[in-house]
Structures are given as C-alpha cells and as structure tokens.
C-alpha cells in the first residue's frame, strides 16, 4: 500500500507538471493561429492509452510516463516528421510565423514551470511561513560522523561561511557544503578556511551520507517513549543529563554515542531535575535505543509572511532553488565526486516520495521539480526547448534561418544526447535495485 501511495504521488506530480508545461506551448501556439496536431500526456510510442480528436488537435494519454509533448505543424521536433517539411509552408504552420512568435511558443513551457514554482512557494510561505535553524543559533557548533570528517570537518566546529558566503540557515548548510569548494569554520576559537575535497564528496554521495552533518545541542530530554527503557529508568521530559557512569556529559551527541556503545549494559545516570540532582539506573536494550529525543525547539525560528510580502519571497525561493540546481550540475559533471552515479530516474524518485500522503511535501516537491524541468528544458541542447530557442536566437541575430538539414541534424544529435542521459539515469535506478540483492 505504501508503494502505491508513493507511485500515485509521483505520477500525479509529473502529470500536472507535464500538462502545464505543454499548455505553455499550446496556448501561445493557438493564440498565434498555429496548428497543433497533438497534445499528449506521456509518450504514445506505437500506441496510446486514450486519444480523442477535437478540432485540428488529437488529445491523448500515452503509456510511457517520461513526459509529454505537443506536435506543432511545420516544426522539426522529436517526431522527425520531415515529409511535412518538404511541402510548401502554410500560413498556419510554425515555420511560417515570425521569429518572435516562435520564440514565445518555444519558451512558453519553461515560463509556465517557473511561474508555477513561484506561485507554489508564495502560497506555502504565506500559509506556513519559513521555518529553519539560523546558523547563529548553533552556539555549540555541529556534529559530524566519519564521513563529515573526510571533508575536513570536526564535531564542535561552527560554520562561518561556505565559499566566502555566510550561511544564514543551517538547514541549507548541508547542500552548500556538498556544492561548495571551501569552508570557513571557528574551531576552538581559531578561524580556519580549508578546501572541501572531491574525495570527501565522493564518499558522501557513494554512501548516501544523509546524516554526515548535524547540530550540537545540550543533553536535555524533550520526549520519552512510554514503552521503552528510558521510561522504565525514570527519565522525565526536561531532565538534563550530567554524567553517565561518572563520565561527564554535556552534549546530546556524547550521550547518544555512549548509549549506542552500551547494548545490554546497565548505566548509572546523573541528571539535573527541578534544580536538583537525581541518580537513575538505565538498562540499555540490545538494539541500543532507549526512547528519548533531545530538546531542540529553541533552535528553530519561523519567518512569517503576509500575502504581498510572500510574493517577492516566493520569487527569491524559486531563484535560490534554480541557483542550487545549476550548482548541482557542476558537481554532477565533476567525475571525481561520483555524483553522477546518484542521479535518479523515475524509480529512484518514487522512492523519495513519503510512504503516507503528505501535502506539504507534495507541493514543495512539485515546486522544486517544476524549477528542475524549466532548467533542463532551457539547456541549449537540440531536441529540448532550449535547443529550439538557440536556433531562433541565431535567426533573430543573424537574420538568416538555419537550414532544415541543420535543424534535422541538430535534432538527431540532441536525441542521442538525451538517450545517453536517460541510459545513465535508468542504469543508476536498476543498479541501485540490484545492489540490494547482492
């Protein structure tokens, strides 16, 4: 059932994004009286699941859920329908329209994707605000595991800047570090700047080191599970751990490290409660989990936005997501990091979906993915919107149209590039599945 929910969320997100993207091409094409022969959700290779012709346009749903398309008359596209191009240009064809109209038609999908993301982020910020942990709130510094140490970080470091840019939100620091070249930290009162090695990043990507970076907090109890060892030992919400077996404990990571290293052992705890000291005896179960969470509520802040303030904030969020995605490309194409091995296809993306329906995740993911589609489609690769835009800009600047032979060759080259990228993406998905059974 959980897999079904994940699949439904993914298919619904992709369907909405594809339909709106293609509408971005379809509506200006219709406005400029250009004939649209097909409007399809998903690809109808050999056959379609549904189709119906209304006017000049066939609307349908294909069986291959890798996107969608509109087939515009008089245009060399992924259909490679060159027979039509041998005929005399007709007034309703794409090739007969002025270059500026063709440019609007071709950029329409990307513009819709960008505006959709902007709109979603605006509504989310207006409805929920922006919750994050300010980097300045982490007076005890960060917590890193062995993977974080490979990057040169140490537990207790205070992050000052990544690539000489101050990180306002700790919740963004992980991505900044993965995408950055150097980091500046305060370590034991000394300011240090050092490079973030490609080798360290490779380890992060290869091990999916999601928890390589955390934040330090005091060893104070925020919640206790009723049926687990902590409750049986008498630990209460609000207790502050002072020592374990006589060893001083100040921070939560110190406490959890001792617990994980003590399965099936009895530990003597000293806790601070209501201004006094309490002695407790804790029996750690075999799995090394006792059922407590740390108190971190005072670290979080929420910036609230009125509707009109949320509009520019939503725009800034969209631009930030776009900027991060461009920076990710730099890391992906750096083979030393091995990041290309973690690029996910449809199977991998489905696994990212929550196992229960989550509307906040749904809209956040749709906005992020909408920006991602806009970015990918505007890349100057023939067969993508950006490839068509590239040829149109050449025409508008030079005053000469590229020959149909050039357009056909470009389309073939672009198709080969895209198929190569798809092979990598699907290969990653398949390999990740295979690794589970090895």
């Amino acid at each position: 059932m959980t897999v079904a929910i994940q699949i439904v969320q993914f298919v619904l997100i992709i369907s909405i994004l594809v339909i709106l993207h293609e509408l971005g091409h379809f509506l200006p094409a219709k406005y400029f009286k250009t004939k649209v022969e097909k409007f399809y959700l998903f690809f109808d290779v050999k056959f379609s699941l549904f189709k119906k012709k209304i006017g000049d346009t066939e609307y349908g749903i294909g069986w291959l859920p890798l996107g969608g398309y509109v087939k515009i008359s008089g245009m060399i596209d992924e259909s490679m329908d060159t027979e039509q191009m041998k005929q005399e240009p007709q007034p309703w064809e794409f090739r007969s329209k002025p270059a500026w109209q063709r440019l609007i038609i071709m950029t329409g999908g990307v513009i819709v994707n960008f505006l959709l993301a902007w709109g979603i982020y605006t509504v989310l910020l207006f409805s929920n605000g922006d919750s994050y942990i300010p980097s300045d709130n982490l007076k005890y510094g960060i917590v890193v595991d062995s993977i974080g140490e490979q990057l040169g970080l140490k537990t207790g470091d205070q992050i000052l800047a990544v690539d000489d840019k101050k990180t306002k939100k700790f919740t963004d620091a992980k991505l900044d570090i993965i995408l950055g070249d150097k980091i500046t930290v305060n370590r034991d009162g000394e300011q240090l700047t050092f490079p973030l090695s490609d080798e360290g990043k490779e380890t992060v990507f290869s091990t999916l080191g999601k928890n390589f970076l955390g934040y330090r907090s005091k060893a104070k109890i925020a919640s206790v599970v009723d049926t687990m060892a902590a409750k049986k030992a008498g630990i209460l919400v609000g207790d502050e751990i002072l020592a374990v077996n006589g060893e001083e404990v100040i921070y939560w990571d110190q406490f959890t490290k001792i617990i994980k290293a003590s399965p099936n052992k009895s530990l003597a705890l000293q806790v601070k409660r209501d201004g006094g000291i309490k002695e407790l005896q804790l029996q750690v179960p075999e799995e090394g989990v006792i059922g407590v969470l740390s108190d971190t509520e005072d670290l979080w802040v929420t910036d609230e936005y009125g509707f009109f303030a949320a509009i520019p904030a939503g725009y800034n969020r969209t631009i930030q997501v776009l900027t991060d995605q461009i920076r990710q490309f730099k890391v992906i194409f750096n083979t030393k990091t091995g990041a290309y091995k973690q690029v996910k296809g449809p199977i991998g993306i489905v696994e990212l979906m929550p196992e229960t329906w989550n509307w906040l995740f749904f809209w956040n993911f749709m906005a992020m993915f909408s920006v991602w589609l806009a970015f990918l489609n505007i890349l100057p690769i023939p067969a993508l919107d950006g490839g068509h835009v590239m040829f149109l800009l050449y025409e508008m600047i030079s005053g000469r149209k590229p020959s149909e032979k050039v357009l056909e060759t470009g389309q073939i080259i672009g198709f080969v590039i895209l198929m190569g990228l798809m092979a990598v993406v699907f290969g990653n998905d398949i390999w990740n599945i295979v690794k589970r059974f090895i």
Side-chain angles (χ1 to χ4, degrees):
M1 185 63 182
T2 56
V3 174
I5 292 173
Q6 289 175 305
I7 292 173
V8 169
Q9 288 180 92
F10 173 69
V11 171
L12 183 57
I13 288 171
I14 291 299
S15 299
I16 292 172
L17 290 179
V18 168
I19 289 171
L20 291 177
H21 178 91
E22 300 306 335
L23 277 174
H25 298 305
F26 178 84
L27 293 177
K30 285 292 190 180
Y31 181 80
F32 294 128
K33 296 180 170 55
T34 309
K35 182 179 178 181
V36 180
E37 298 176 9
K38 286 187 173 185
F39 185 116
Y40 261 76
L41 170 64
F42 306 147
F43 291 107
D44 57 327
V45 182
K46 299 297 184 183
F47 68 94
S48 57
L49 299 178
F50 165 83
K51 61 182 179 180
K52 182 176 179 61
K53 190 164 187 177
I54 302 175
D56 293 327
T57 306
E58 177 182 297
Y59 300 86
I61 301 175
W63 62 270
L64 187 61
L66 297 179
Y69 70 98
V70 289
K71 187 177 186 307
I72 300 175
S73 182
M75 174 183 170
I76 296 178
D77 57 13
E78 58 270 13
S79 68
M80 294 302 293
D81 184 4
T82 56
E83 291 301 316
Q84 185 183 64
M85 305 302 290
K86 295 176 182 178
Q87 310 300 320
E88 284 296 316
Q90 300 299 318
W92 61 80
E93 290 185 336
F94 180 81
R95 56 180 166 164
S96 300
K97 303 301 178 182
W100 67 271
Q101 291 185 5
R102 285 180 277 140
L103 183 63
I104 291 174
I105 292 171
M106 292 316 305
T107 56
V110 169
I111 291 171
V112 167
N113 281 136
F114 184 88
L115 293 177
L116 174 65
W118 182 2
I120 292 174
Y121 283 133
T122 295
V123 173
L124 289 175
L125 288 169
F126 172 65
S127 303
N128 304 307
D130 184 19
S131 296
Y132 60 95
I133 298 176
S135 295
D136 291 341
N137 279 11
L138 302 183
K139 56 184 178 180
Y140 305 118
I142 61 174
V143 176
V144 296
D145 59 12
S146 60
I147 298 172
E149 289 176 351
Q150 285 193 38
L151 288 167
L153 299 168
K154 289 187 176 182
T155 293
D157 284 350
Q158 291 178 302
I159 298 173
L160 302 179
V162 179
D163 290 340
D164 298 322
K165 181 180 178 182
K166 179 178 171 61
T167 301
K168 177 186 176 183
K169 303 177 181 179
F170 174 74
T171 39
D172 293 339
K174 186 178 294 187
L175 183 61
D176 288 340
I177 289 171
I178 292 174
L179 302 181
D181 295 316
K182 63 180 180 179
I183 188 169
T184 302
V185 302
N186 182 326
R187 181 176 296 168
D188 300 325
E190 182 182 0
Q191 184 169 309
L192 301 174
T193 299
F194 52 88
L196 294 160
S197 69
D198 290 336
E199 292 74 18
K201 293 177 185 178
E202 182 181 13
T203 304
V204 172
F205 288 117
S206 64
T207 59
L208 299 178
K210 298 178 181 179
N211 300 314
F212 78 91
L213 178 68
Y215 50 86
R216 244 190 172 176
S217 61
K218 297 285 282 193
K220 192 173 181 180
I221 307 298
S223 66
V224 180
V225 178
D226 282 343
T227 58
M228 298 187 72
K231 183 72 172 180
K232 296 174 183 177
I235 296 175
L236 301 179
V237 172
D239 284 353
E240 184 177 342
I241 310 299
L242 300 178
V244 179
N245 284 353
E247 179 183 344
E248 183 184 25
V249 170
I250 300 174
Y251 304 113
W252 186 257
D253 60 286
Q254 294 174 322
F255 179 56
T256 55
K257 184 177 181 181
I258 294 172
I259 297 299
K260 289 177 182 177
S262 307
N264 297 317
K265 291 183 180 179
S266 180
L267 302 177
L269 305 186
Q270 190 178 72
V271 304
K272 182 178 179 181
R273 180 185 298 170
D274 299 328
I277 305 298
K278 189 82 172 174
E279 303 287 344
L280 301 173
Q281 201 69 27
L282 171 68
Q283 181 64 39
V284 181
E286 184 175 358
E287 60 271 18
V289 177
I290 63 172
V292 290
L293 292 175
S294 62
D295 187 358
T296 60
E297 289 185 2
D298 59 332
L299 298 177
W300 288 83
V301 300
T302 300
D303 293 340
E304 303 287 351
Y305 293 91
F307 180 74
F308 292 106
I311 295 174
Y315 174 82
N316 291 336
R317 174 67 62 84
T318 306
I319 294 297
Q320 182 61 54
V321 171
L322 176 60
T323 302
D324 288 342
Q325 290 172 353
I326 294 172
R327 293 166 67 202
Q328 286 180 55
F329 249 58
K330 172 187 171 184
V331 176
I332 289 171
F333 283 102
N334 181 352
T335 55
K336 292 181 181 178
T337 67
Y340 67 92
K341 299 176 184 177
Q342 303 306 323
V343 176
K344 297 182 183 298
I347 298 172
I349 295 174
V350 166
E351 293 178 339
L352 294 177
M353 299 291 116
E355 295 181 353
T356 58
W357 197 276
N358 185 324
W359 281 113
L360 185 60
F361 177 93
F362 181 91
W363 293 114
N364 266 300
F365 190 90
M366 181 182 290
M368 180 278 295
F369 211 68
S370 190
V371 177
W372 184 242
L373 287 179
F375 171 60
L376 288 180
N377 272 283
I378 206 61
L379 290 175
I381 299 175
L384 293 176
D385 296 344
H388 293 288
V389 169
M390 176 179 64
F391 287 126
L392 279 168
L393 290 176
Y394 166 81
E395 177 185 341
M396 295 173 77
I397 293 169
S398 67
R400 300 191 305 273
K401 279 187 177 184
S403 68
E404 290 181 8
K405 185 66 176 176
V406 168
L407 294 177
E408 289 175 18
T409 303
Q411 196 72 18
I412 293 171
I413 293 172
F415 181 78
V416 171
I417 293 172
L418 291 179
M419 289 301 99
L421 293 174
M422 291 297 291
V424 171
V425 167
F426 277 96
N428 286 343
D429 277 355
I430 294 169
W431 175 239
N432 287 331
I433 293 173
V434 170
K435 282 194 298 186
R436 297 172 190 170
F437 299 97
I438 296 178

